[in-house]
Amino acid sequence: MSAVENRSAHEADPAPSAGAADAFPRRWKALAVLSLVQFVIVIDNTVVNVALPSIRDDLGTSQAGLAWVVNGYLLAAGGLLLLGGRVADMVGRKRLFVIGTTIFALASLTSGLAWNSGTLIVSRFAQGLGEALASPAALSLIVLMFTDSKERAKALGIWGGLAGMGATVGVLLSGVLVDLAGWRWVFLINLPIAAAALLLAARDVRDAPVTTSRQRLDIWGGLFITAGLVAVVNGFLQAAEHPWGSPRVWVSLAGGLVLVLLFAAVESRVQDPMMPLRFFTERTRITANVATAFLTSAMAAMFFIVTLYVQQVLGYSPLQSGLAYLPFCAAFVPGLILSTQLVTKAGAKNAIIVGFLVSAAGMLLLARIDADGSFWGQLVPATVVLSFGLAIGLPALQNAALHRLSGADAGLGSGVQTSVQQLGSSLGLAVLTTLAVTHSRDVAGSGQVTGAAMVDGYRFAFVTAAVVLAAGAVLVAAVMQSVRQPQQTADEPVSPGSPAPADSRP
């Protein structure tokens, strides 16, 4: 969301005392519509995981291709989210929400009807594009419709809580759909939901007039960062099948890094950058976004590898694979409740550290798996601990990522945080999957049986993820400033240049 849009939102906002009375009367219905689409979008980040073996068998997809079925979605969404926010400023939030949701629905249709791997991967990229247009537009609509600061905070809290819940529900739902209806229905189920949301949006969602002056769209910035990240992830995926010295690996990695550097150069020079570099001038915000990449990379790899483990090693059906995540879903809710209490009483910094350390312990418990694994003895304790830690860390990270932002930059902060989540997931999945495959290959080369070698690779990836999470905790403890809940209302923005409120807690 641009500063111009935020200014227009603040100018349209009544005084805090009159905000709720003058607000859009159907705002809570509108929130339900916008949240429904967002929930489906978030679910699609993980719903495909349980379906991957079925997709491989039906379409003949390679291991690298399976990773692209996941990464295509994450890369397109993460790379274009901020650009989508800019487009929303220019053409209108409601209009772009409708366009993005329509693209997402049509891409879901072509994903469900895909006749080969290439069609499915392209369709997943298109689904990511739909998210990149719909999500920032929906967030802007919520800010504009909820003019009372307390109601706005509650609405944004509901919105933010969808990320973790959608991810956990996705893996559970996919198992049921794959087993009872087939893998294609993990995509086709989106169609009636999107159609209902589009019909209700026409009546229940209100947009503010577009009052922005003519802006230059940062197309090059969006293209450079998306192409750069695609190249980097492709390099890691190639490393799973070729030596690190292979041109397929290092040329892709080097090209991706060059494109990322070009993106940084463009952002420092264009008049209306997709990601203004001034956003990263505050160390708590920088630390929170880096730590978010650590957490989401470990989370995405865990979903991917555990799903492969229970289906390929333990022989679970898709339905059993989805139900295996029930303990994970059950532990997530109390973790969210505890996170809110920790952020309020101990500060976001301490809550993040606790969440990361608990998550690292869960990863180490996952590293106990073997070829004759036990669901209750190995998977359940590990996934419960891991889920509890992730639920503590995710909301606290979001709080810290919005530290010392003015009201005009609130949308930008949310967009950057969402982009980091998406890109961290795709990069972490590529790296940790590559580590698992290469380690399994090395172990198999030493004479160990294939199944045991595969599990050795999974264990190595989980230990690496635990190290990443522990490093994130150390980073937060050493660099991040203490963060407390701001006392300002939405109509009293904190100046980015003003001193941060001191936290009375150490």
Side-chain angles (χ1 to χ4, degrees), residues 123-181:
S123 298
R124 290 288 286 170
F125 270 95
Q127 277 190 309
L129 171 62
E131 174 183 351
L133 300 179
S135 289
L139 182 59
S140 300
L141 286 166
I142 293 173
V143 172
L144 292 172
M145 286 187 293
F146 287 86
T147 55
D148 178 75
S149 58
K150 292 183 178 179
E151 284 194 346
R152 183 182 299 172
K154 182 178 180 181
L156 293 176
I158 294 172
W159 175 271
L162 293 174
M165 291 302 297
T168 54
V169 170
V171 291
L172 176 61
L173 179 63
S174 63
V176 176
L177 290 174
V178 169
D179 200 65
L180 299 182

Side-chain angles (χ1 to χ4, degrees), residues 146-401:
F146 287 86
T147 55
D148 178 75
S149 58
K150 292 183 178 179
E151 284 194 346
R152 183 182 299 172
K154 182 178 180 181
L156 293 176
I158 294 172
W159 175 271
L162 293 174
M165 291 302 297
T168 54
V169 170
V171 291
L172 176 61
L173 179 63
S174 63
V176 176
L177 290 174
V178 169
D179 200 65
L180 299 182
W183 67 265
R184 297 180 184 276
W185 279 96
V186 303
F187 304 112
L188 297 177
I189 194 66
N190 296 333
L191 297 176
I193 299 174
L198 289 172
L199 290 174
L200 293 172
R203 180 191 66 185
D204 293 328
V205 176
R206 183 181 70 177
D207 194 5
V210 178
T211 59
T212 59
S213 58
R214 183 178 179 85
Q215 297 180 4
R216 294 181 179 179
L217 191 61
D218 184 16
I219 296 177
W220 284 111
L223 291 176
F224 279 141
I225 190 62
T226 303
L229 289 167
V230 167
V232 169
V233 173
N234 180 64
F236 285 119
L237 292 174
Q238 291 297 329
E241 300 180 356
H242 304 279
W244 284 96
S246 169
R248 295 189 179 188
V249 177
W250 65 262
V251 169
S252 187
L253 290 174
L257 292 175
V258 169
L259 288 169
V260 172
L261 291 175
L262 287 174
F263 166 74
V266 167
E267 297 307 279
S268 65
R269 288 174 172 80
V270 297
Q271 181 178 353
D272 297 305
M274 185 180 73
M275 186 186 297
L277 299 183
R278 61 178 170 76
F279 178 84
F280 297 100
T281 58
E282 205 277 327
R283 73 180 190 183
T284 293
R285 195 155 57 235
I286 296 173
T287 308
N289 280 285
V290 172
T292 296
F294 286 8
L295 189 67
T296 55
S297 65
M299 185 175 179
M302 181 276 299
F303 279 128
F304 187 79
I305 295 176
V306 167
T307 300
L308 292 179
Y309 171 72
V310 297
Q311 291 199 9
Q312 296 184 355
V313 178
L314 301 186
Y316 284 16
S317 68
L319 178 59
Q320 290 173 319
S321 300
L323 294 177
Y325 284 98
L326 273 175
F328 187 98
C329 296
F332 202 88
V333 175
L336 286 175
I337 296 173
L338 180 59
S339 178
T340 302
Q341 296 175 345
L342 283 175
V343 169
T344 302
K345 298 178 180 179
K349 176 179 177 178
N350 292 324
I352 294 170
I353 295 172
V354 171
F356 271 63
L357 292 177
V358 173
S359 299
M363 283 293 182
L364 290 177
L365 288 174
L366 271 178
R368 296 168 53 243
I369 61 173
D370 54 47
D372 300 316
S374 165
F375 176 73
W376 292 106
Q378 294 178 351
L379 280 181
V380 170
T383 55
V384 165
V385 172
L386 182 57
S387 174
F388 194 68
L390 292 172
I392 294 173
L394 282 171
L397 276 172
Q398 187 173 18
N399 182 285

Side-chain angles (χ1 to χ4, degrees), residues 78 280 288-290 292-293 296 415-425:
F280 297 100
N289 280 285
V290 172
T292 296
T296 55
V416 170
Q417 173 73 349
T418 305
S419 297
V420 169
Q421 289 175 2
Q422 296 278 30
L423 297 174
S425 296

Side-chain angles (χ1 to χ4, degrees), residues 62-97:
S62 66
Q63 186 77 11
L66 291 178
W68 273 112
V69 170
V70 178
N71 277 340
Y73 181 94
L74 296 174
L75 281 171
L80 295 172
L81 271 166
L82 296 178
L83 187 60
R86 282 294 190 191
V87 175
D89 293 340
M90 303 175 68
V91 306
R93 277 70 54 180
K94 181 175 179 178
R95 180 182 301 173
L96 200 69
F97 171 76

Side-chain angles (χ1 to χ4, degrees), residues 32-41 44 97-109 127 130 134 187-202:
V33 173
L34 299 173
S35 297
L36 177 63
V37 173
Q38 181 65 9
F39 191 66
V40 171
I41 284 174
D44 256 54
F97 171 76
V98 170
I99 293 173
T101 303
T102 301
I103 292 175
F104 182 83
L106 292 176
S108 297
L109 176 62
Q127 277 190 309
F187 304 112
L188 297 177
I189 194 66
N190 296 333
L191 297 176
I193 299 174
L198 289 172
L199 290 174
L200 293 172

